[in-house]
């Protein structure tokens, strides 16, 4: 069993560190983009009011997790965003859930991890079926597939935030990255929280409180590069990045660093490609590979759509 446990990289980042790292991994970069494009997304009203907490794209559907409605999940057609189904109610029954989280899969499937029942379910064609039992006691969030049953997720205690790579059916931790609030004031999540995604065997982490992303090799269990865009390694009181999506050789970051939200597009090596200036407040983002477009969740709980076909 391979297991990795990392100390803090205090002198440089105070967010992410790992063994075998060195100062040479830190790269200061400018914010110069070859393309800067002002875009006006097409705005679509959701057919139901659901207070979206999380969302995911499958082959035919957009699935949204709700905060405050009778159902946990709503399924919309990916082609025209009409409502197809609502599913998962809270309870102890066979098709009821306690604390569900979406498990983002590579092959356009939708799995659901119930942190309360410690079970994994599949959802397909309006049917919910149990897939496996969860062999970890962690309360998981931001759950994504690496190569099922190996998944990545975040979990936290007041003074610790941990990213883990786990065989979810066996309960074996294969890799982990630890962030500690050394002041012991219960601020680990507030200080060190990050958005993350896989791109092949690379892990991309974008700090929610710093103008920095980190590229980590899953295969080698080490940081490859840490990019700082303003030469500033201090924490910000406001948010910097609030969403990330890695698609093929590109990394899409939803930025809150300026007055209005922006989407920063990079290569998987961290080189700037394009900056999309949205001229509105956006709280979440997904890349729709099937229709080559960007889906945005606005601060008013509306859906924004941007065609990516003209972005080189």
């Amino acid at each position: 069993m391979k297991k990795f446990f990392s100390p803090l990289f205090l002198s440089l980042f105070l967010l992410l560190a790992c063994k075998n790292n060195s100062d040479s991994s830190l790269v200061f970069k400018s914010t110069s983009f070859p393309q800067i494009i002002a875009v006006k997304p097409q705005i679509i009203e959701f057919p139901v009011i659901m207070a979206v907490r999380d969302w995911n794209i499958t082959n035919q559907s957009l699935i949204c997790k709700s905060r405050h409605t009778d159902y946990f999940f709503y399924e919309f057609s990916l082609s025209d965003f009409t409502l197809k189904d609502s599913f998962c109610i809270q309870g102890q029954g066979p098709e009821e859930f306690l604390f569900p989280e979406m498990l983002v899969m590579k092959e356009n499937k939708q799995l659901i991890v119930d942190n309360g029942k410690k079970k994994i379910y599949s959802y397909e064609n309006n049917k919910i079926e149990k897939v496996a039992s969860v062999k970890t006691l962690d309360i998981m969030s931001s759950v994504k597939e690496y190569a099922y049953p190996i998944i990545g997720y975040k979990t936290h205690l007041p003074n610790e935030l941990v990213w883990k790579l786990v065989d979810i059916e066996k309960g074996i931790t294969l890799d982990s990255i630890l962030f500690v609030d050394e002041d012991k004031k219960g601020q680990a999540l507030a200080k060190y929280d990050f958005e993350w995604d896989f791109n092949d065997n690379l892990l991309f982490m974008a700090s929610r409180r710093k103008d920095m992303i980190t590229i980590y090799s899953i295969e080698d269990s080490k940081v490859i590069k840490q990019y700082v865009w303003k030469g500033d390694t201090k924490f910000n009181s406001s948010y910097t990045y609030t969403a990330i999506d890695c698609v093929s050789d590109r990394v899409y970051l939803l930025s809150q660093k300026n007055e209005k939200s922006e989407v920063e597009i990079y290569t998987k090596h961290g080189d700037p490609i394009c900056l999309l200036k949205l001229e509105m407040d956006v709280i979440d983002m997904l890349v729709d590979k099937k229709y080559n477009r960007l889906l945005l969740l606005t601060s008013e709980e509306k859906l924004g759509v941007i065609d990516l076909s003209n972005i080189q």
Side-chain angles (χ1 to χ4, degrees), residues 287-302:
V287 178
D288 176 5
K289 294 182 288 185
K290 182 173 183 178
Y291 294 104
N292 195 26
R293 59 191 179 180
L294 199 61
L295 304 186
L296 308 169
L297 180 63
T298 74
S299 58
E300 298 177 343
E301 293 283 335
K302 296 179 181 179

Side-chain angles (χ1 to χ4, degrees), residues 37-219:
I37 305 174
V39 292
K40 187 175 182 180
Q42 176 190 2
I43 300 299
I44 299 172
E45 297 273 359
F46 280 113
V48 294
I49 299 174
M50 58 188 153
V52 178
R53 181 183 167 215
D54 196 6
W55 57 350
N56 181 39
I57 290 174
T58 66
N59 188 41
Q60 301 291 336
S61 302
L62 171 67
I63 298 180
C64 298
K65 182 181 179 182
S66 170
R67 289 187 181 94
H68 306 304
T69 57
D70 293 335
Y71 293 94
F72 279 116
F73 299 101
Y74 290 82
E75 180 184 14
F76 301 91
S77 167
L78 194 56
S79 60
D80 59 8
F81 304 110
T82 53
L83 181 63
K84 296 172 64 177
D85 191 20
S86 54
F87 60 99
C88 293
I89 60 174
Q90 191 165 28
Q92 296 282 358
E95 293 189 3
E96 297 176 337
F97 292 73
L98 295 177
F99 307 107
E101 292 286 341
M102 288 193 287
L103 200 169
V104 178
M105 302 292 289
K106 294 178 181 177
E107 296 183 358
N108 297 313
K109 299 177 182 178
Q110 183 60 68
L111 295 188
I112 298 168
V113 178
D114 192 333
N115 279 307
K117 292 185 175 182
K118 293 299 177 185
K119 299 182 187 299
I120 299 175
Y121 300 86
S122 66
Y123 171 77
E124 190 173 9
N125 298 324
N126 304 88
K127 293 182 180 180
I128 299 173
E129 296 180 352
K130 178 186 171 183
V131 174
S133 296
V134 175
K135 302 296 184 181
T136 175
L137 297 178
D138 291 336
I139 302 299
M140 295 173 281
S141 65
S142 187
V143 190
K144 301 180 182 183
E145 177 197 24
Y146 181 64
Y148 191 84
I150 299 173
I151 66 169
Y153 62 85
K154 294 189 297 186
T155 187
H156 73 276
L157 298 171
N159 292 315
E160 294 182 359
L161 173 63
V162 188
W163 178 87
K164 289 187 177 184
L165 188 71
V166 172
D167 184 321
I168 195 64
E169 294 186 0
K170 296 180 179 178
I172 300 173
T173 300
L174 306 174
D175 205 344
S176 64
I177 303 171
L178 173 68
F179 314 87
V180 177
D181 179 13
E182 294 201 334
D183 295 332
K184 299 189 183 301
K185 294 182 179 179
Q187 297 295 310
L189 189 62
K191 288 182 179 180
Y192 308 126
D193 199 11
F194 56 89
E195 300 297 327
W196 74 275
D197 199 6
F198 290 119
N199 192 324
D200 296 327
N201 69 330
L202 298 177
L203 165 66
F204 288 80
M205 307 175 76
S207 171
R208 291 176 65 88
R209 298 289 185 177
K210 290 180 62 61
D211 194 2
M212 177 180 279
I213 66 171
T214 300
I215 305 175
Y216 177 85
S217 170
I218 301 293
E219 191 174 64

Side-chain angles (χ1 to χ4, degrees), residues 234-262:
K234 297 179 181 179
F235 286 102
N236 299 312
S237 57
S238 57
Y239 289 117
T240 49
Y241 297 113
T242 56
I244 184 172
D245 203 355
C246 296
V247 177
S248 299
D249 61 344
R250 293 192 175 188
V251 180
Y252 296 79
L253 293 171
L254 179 59
S255 169
Q256 312 295 348
K257 292 176 289 186
N258 293 313
E259 184 177 353
K260 296 298 182 181
S261 302
E262 299 170 335

